[in-house]
Amino acid sequence: MIGTITLNPAVDRRYNIDILEKNTVKRTEDYMASAGGKGLNVSRVARILGEDVTAFGFLGGNTGDFIRNEISKLGINDSFTSVNGTTRTCLNIIDDNNDNIEILEKGPVISKKDKHKFLEEFELQLERLDIIAMSGSLPKGVDINIYSDIIEIAKKYNKKVILDTSGNVLLENLKSNPFLVKPNKEELENITGIKLDSEEAIKMSAHKILRRGAKNILVSLGDNGMYFFGEEGNFKVDIPKIKIKNTVGSGDSSVAGFAYSFSKGLDIQEVLKYANACGMSNAMEKGTGSIDIEKVNELRKKIIVRKI
Ligand code: ADP
């Protein structure tokens, strides 16, 4: 069973229209609402891989109910904590020229009591989880150290935690020694201030993060694959060229692929193949956080993992 944590989920609403114009009324039949948030993408992909998933985080209001309904349709166990206020809606209006406007709501403010309830619920279920993936930004009201609080609880039960977030939230929570972090190239450049224009620079930056407390680090590079640095050595993953449709959610799919294959006890090179194949398969689909199992299995055979 994989546990996922999405502290700041959202309902993603997409509307496709012909052209964005001021002061007009548009009608469309091409629109969709989906359960959004990086941790929910991880949950979906892990489910497609055939894994049992329990999802934690905060949900409130009718948008919260919408997400509960969506995840139950996918067979994801719902352990979200109910809060006052209404889960965010993130609105994206896209036109035929690919111009778009995005509007992000603020979302509910999480109280100390909500946080306490959430940590209690998490600890109650921890025994059943093989690995935990925590992803994304923090909602209002939550202290920047919340990810460390979660990792400290998980340590008591010897459970491994993957932390996929960025900026200060990532930096501040390295001290509690997450099992794995997964910045992409830009995120790693932002937190280290080092331009990643060579393998040497990537290696140096990754080791900076390891020295600050992470046990392992994946640096994802979009169509250039991935680097891994950690307890079982250093590796570069080379991937074949693919035809892409939508790369949003590829990083989350990689996290799901890693968590799934690692929890099955596969060796690190196979785990890295899964992580990349899932990211690639997501990039080949229109939906965010969606993969095709057959493609994942084909891609795994074409991915090369080199020790560096
Ligand atoms: P994030 O979504 O966090 O920015 P990446 O874009 O680096 O993460 O994607 C994660 C993984 O998904 C990559 O390491 C790669 O395996 C795959 N991937 C992403 N974009 C592409 C692409 N354009 N072509 C091929 N593979 C991709």
Side-chain angles (χ1 to χ4, degrees):
M1 170 93 71
I2 294 178
T4 63
I5 298 183
T6 317
L7 298 177
N8 205 12
V11 172
D12 286 333
R13 279 189 182 281
R14 167 185 63 76
Y15 292 90
N16 284 79
I17 59 167
D18 53 356
I19 186 154
L20 277 168
E21 285 170 299
K22 279 198 273 186
N23 305 323
T24 53
V25 174
K26 294 288 177 187
R27 292 179 203 282
T28 178
E29 287 177 14
D30 188 358
Y31 57 92
M32 200 172 94
S34 56
K38 287 164 67 66
L40 286 169
N41 294 337
V42 176
S43 310
R44 248 191 319 264
V45 172
R47 269 309 282 154
I48 301 171
L49 288 167
E51 190 61 27
D52 285 333
V53 177
T54 298
F56 301 84
F58 300 108
L59 286 175
N62 55 356
T63 40
D65 292 341
F66 172 86
I67 291 178
R68 286 190 196 280
N69 192 35
E70 290 295 296
I71 65 177
S72 90
K73 280 195 264 179
L74 296 170
I76 294 165
N77 302 309
D78 175 359
S79 280
F80 275 93
T81 302
S82 293
V83 298
N84 286 328
T86 302
T87 292
R88 312 179 285 159
T89 295
C90 297
L91 184 67
N92 193 6
I93 305 172
I94 312 160
D95 75 9
D96 290 345
N97 302 319
N98 262 335
D99 285 327
N100 76 98
I101 178 162
E102 209 174 345
I103 301 172
L104 309 179
E105 293 181 6
K106 211 167 66 162
V109 179
I110 306 304
S111 68
K112 286 226 157 29
K113 215 169 130 202
D114 297 331
K115 176 186 155 184
H116 194 69
K117 221 164 54 170
F118 157 79
L119 290 175
E120 242 176 33
E121 175 67 21
F122 175 67
E123 184 159 2
L124 270 178
Q125 306 236 19
L126 204 40
E127 209 85 74
R128 300 194 302 139
L129 305 177
D130 299 312
I131 191 162
I132 298 106
M134 325 192 273
S135 315
S137 59
L138 301 182
K140 301 256 169 318
V142 154
D143 188 88
I144 194 164
N145 290 312
I146 187 166
Y147 282 137
S148 294
D149 297 342
I150 298 168
I151 296 169
E152 293 304 333
I153 294 172
K155 273 185 193 166
K156 289 198 281 178
Y157 296 79
N158 254 326
K159 303 288 178 175
K160 294 187 162 58
V161 180
I162 301 173
L163 173 60
D164 182 14
T165 186
S166 56
N168 272 343
V169 181
L170 175 56
L171 275 181
E172 283 299 315
N173 289 286
L174 291 173
K175 59 179 181 295
S176 52
N177 316 114
F179 173 68
L180 177 77
V181 295
K182 193 221 72 65
N184 64 24
K185 187 167 173 244
E186 294 71 37
E187 288 163 349
L188 187 55
E189 282 179 342
N190 281 342
I191 56 174
T192 59
I194 300 170
K195 184 114 196 73
L196 300 183
D197 49 11
S198 67
E199 186 167 290
E200 216 28 60
I202 293 173
K203 199 170 174 180
M204 203 165 74
S205 303
H207 277 99
K208 253 185 158 178
I209 302 301
L210 295 178
R211 278 196 301 274
R212 287 187 74 142
K215 298 245 185 256
N216 299 282
I217 178 171
L218 278 181
V219 184
S220 69
L221 306 169
D223 62 1
N224 197 15
M226 213 176 257
Y227 279 93
F228 174 88
F229 302 90
E231 292 165 319
E232 301 196 48
N234 301 340
F235 298 92
K236 167 73 184 35
V237 185
D238 295 324
I239 60 174
K241 278 253 154 314
I242 50 165
K243 241 179 131 173
I244 62 161
K245 283 198 183 140
N246 168 26
T247 59
V248 180
S250 279
D252 305 330
S253 305
S254 291
V255 167
F258 189 105
Y260 166 79
S261 50
F262 187 85
S263 71
K264 295 279 171 261
L266 299 188
D267 77 58
I268 188 66
Q269 307 214 14
E270 284 308 309
V271 169
L272 293 174
K273 287 183 185 177
Y274 258 106
N276 280 267
C278 290
M280 294 171 76
S281 178
N282 175 77
M284 294 163 86
E285 304 282 321
K286 194 174 170 201
T288 297
S290 86
I291 56 161
D292 177 327
I293 273 262
E294 275 177 28
K295 283 200 192 116
V296 169
N297 288 330
E298 276 167 34
L299 288 165
R300 283 197 298 128
K301 293 183 206 142
K302 296 184 187 155
I303 293 170
I304 296 164
V305 181
R306 292 187 280 122
K307 207 164 172 39
I308 53 168

